[in-house]
């Protein structure tokens, strides 16, 4: 059950955000120059990315442990605009950025007023968001605000150590700035460390029901090229099952020849897109026949369908699927009007 942070905790966070903005770490660091903060008692560091060296937007993103770091690295490795958009929505992060008053969620504006903090103009209002896959960005809860506070305290010191050249880190050669509590010396230390490289893992969905596979193999070929894709709706839908609003992930399909939309499905936060794609293709073949080719751009979909399409001798091909972009944009506009 969600528990909100106290006013005292928020006050500490705003004061630290003010200090970091005054420090301007983006003058020294690129967004790929990571700082890791590991508190005493934590198994893994919190990795911090500083945003704003060459942009007007200034901010700091926190990625907790290897799970958070994996989402950061996947986004950095994205090769196309659609992949970047998808992987940003899949990030596990806590984000602070400085925007305008209109960017600040209502509950955070209320907290700013209650704490009698004063911010004016563009790119000066601190905003805080918690990001999780399948959910819309929302205000951090008590645990997350506490993590932001603990991390920001040491992030200030790490930035100062780098600026004053008390530690030298070769970011370009795969190092990160590691600030950790040394139990032997009972003191905080700052040193270079090797940044873990986390391989991307995609799972194949193994369909082992031979009776089902034989049944599907006997269905008539329809000669279609089927486009299968996923996209976030970029909405915020309340669901009593969850303590934060859901951002539905859509599984979509279209006829690659005619462009006709043939399937749309909103996945629950627990549903895996790969399994959902296999289930859809089974139903599609039973009702419409076997497509000649399936094309996709989401690597999770491609890997999930590999065994299934191979057994049924359906060509599986990676493609940019620009045809799907207009369908996705239309669905998002329709959702905005609801």
């Amino acid at each position: 059950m969600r528990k909100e942070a106290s006013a005292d905790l928020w006050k500490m966070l705003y004061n630290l955000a003010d200090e970091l903005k005054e420090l301007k770490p983006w003058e020294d660091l690129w967004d790929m120059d990571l700082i890791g903060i590991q508190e005493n008692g934590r198994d893994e560091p919190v990795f911090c990315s500083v945003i704003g060296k060459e942009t007007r937007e200034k901010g700091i993103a926190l990625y907790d442990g290897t799970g958070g770091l994996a989402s950061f690295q996947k986004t950095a490795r994205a090769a196309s605009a659609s992949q970047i958009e998808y992987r940003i929505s899949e990030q596990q992060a806590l984000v602070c950025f400085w925007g305008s008053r209109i960017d600040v969620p209502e509950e955070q504006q209320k907290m700013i007023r209650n704490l009698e903090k004063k911010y004016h103009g563009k790119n000066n209002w601190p905003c805080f968001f918690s990001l999780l896959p399948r959910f819309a960005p929302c205000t951090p809860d008590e645990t997350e605000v506490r993590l932001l506070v603990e991390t920001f305290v040491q992030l200030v010191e790490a930035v100062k150590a780098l600026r004053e050249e008390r530690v030298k880190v070769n970011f370009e050669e795969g190092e990160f700035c590691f600030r950790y509590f040394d139990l032997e010396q009972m003191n905080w230390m700052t040193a270079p460390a090797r940044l873990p490289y986390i391989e991307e893992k995609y799972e194949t969905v193994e369909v082992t029901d031979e009776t089902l596979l034989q049944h599907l193999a006997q269905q008539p070929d329809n000669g279609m090229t089927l486009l299968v894709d996923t996209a976030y709706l970029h909405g915020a839908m309340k669901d009593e099952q969850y303590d934060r609003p859901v951002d539905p992930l859509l599984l979509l399909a279209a006829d690659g020849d005619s462009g006709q939309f043939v399937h749309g499905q909103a996945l629950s936060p627990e549903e895996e897109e790969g399994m959902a794609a296999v289930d859809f293709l089974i139903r599609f073949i039973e009702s419409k026949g076997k497509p000649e080719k399936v094309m996709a751009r989401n690597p999770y979909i491609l890997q999930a369908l590999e065994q299934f399409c191979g057994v049924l001798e359906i060509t599986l091909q990676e493609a940019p699927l620009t045809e799907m972009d207009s369908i996705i944009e239309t669905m998002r506009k329709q959702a905005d009007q609801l």
Side-chain angles (χ1 to χ4, degrees), residues 54 69 90 101:
E54 284 193 332
L69 179 62
E90 288 277 299
R101 186 176 180 229

Side-chain angles (χ1 to χ4, degrees), residues 14-229:
Y14 281 113
N15 289 342
L16 285 162
D18 294 345
E19 185 176 359
L20 277 165
K21 186 173 185 296
E22 190 69 25
L23 194 59
K24 298 180 181 179
W26 39 82
E27 291 186 351
D28 305 272
L29 297 164
W30 297 89
D31 57 357
M32 298 298 294
D33 298 342
L34 299 187
I35 296 175
I37 308 296
Q38 186 162 348
E39 290 276 346
N40 183 23
R42 290 184 61 86
D43 294 329
E44 296 182 307
V46 176
F47 296 93
C48 306
S49 170
V50 175
I51 304 157
K53 190 169 181 65
E54 284 193 332
T55 63
R56 291 183 179 180
E57 295 77 19
K58 312 299 181 187
I60 298 167
L62 275 58
Y63 300 90
D64 191 2
T66 53
L69 179 62
S71 71
F72 172 81
Q73 292 182 342
K74 285 180 183 179
T75 303
R77 291 195 289 260
S80 66
S82 63
Q83 281 192 7
I84 292 171
E85 179 186 357
Y86 173 77
R87 291 182 176 185
I88 286 175
S89 297
E90 288 277 299
Q91 286 198 334
Q92 303 174 42
L94 294 172
V95 177
C96 166
F97 80 92
W98 286 268
S100 302
R101 186 176 180 229
I102 195 173
D103 300 315
V104 183
E106 183 177 343
E107 63 271 19
Q108 293 183 36
Q109 288 191 32
K110 182 178 179 181
M111 183 61 67
I112 288 171
R113 290 194 297 271
N114 291 344
L115 294 174
E116 298 182 346
K117 302 289 290 184
K118 303 295 182 183
Y119 302 105
H120 303 282
K122 295 181 180 180
N123 302 322
N124 285 318
W125 291 72
C127 315
F128 301 93
F129 292 98
S130 170
L131 310 181
L132 281 178
R134 307 295 184 91
F135 293 95
C138 67
T139 293
D141 63 16
E142 181 188 53
T143 299
E144 293 168 326
V145 172
R146 193 176 302 280
L147 180 60
L148 281 160
V149 168
E150 292 173 350
T151 303
F152 277 9
V153 168
Q154 300 305 326
L155 181 59
V156 168
E157 299 304 318
V159 171
K160 289 178 179 178
L162 285 166
R163 184 168 291 173
E164 296 166 8
E165 297 186 348
R166 287 184 276 120
V167 60
K168 292 187 178 182
V169 180
N170 194 337
F171 293 109
E172 294 181 357
E173 293 299 321
E175 292 182 345
F176 74 102
C177 179
F178 187 26
R179 185 165 173 82
Y180 62 97
F181 190 80
D182 189 314
L183 288 173
E184 291 184 2
Q185 299 190 38
M186 294 303 292
N187 197 11
W188 280 92
M189 308 293 290
T190 308
R194 180 61 53 181
L195 184 68
Y197 182 86
I198 302 172
E199 294 285 347
E200 297 188 48
K201 295 181 180 178
Y202 308 111
E203 295 186 3
T204 300
V205 176
E206 298 284 346
V207 180
T208 57
D209 187 333
E210 292 296 333
T211 302
L212 173 64
L213 291 171
Q214 289 177 11
H215 166 68
L216 295 173
Q218 293 169 357
Q219 301 307 304
D221 297 331
N222 61 25
M224 281 181 61
T225 294
L226 192 63
L227 312 182
V228 180
D229 200 15

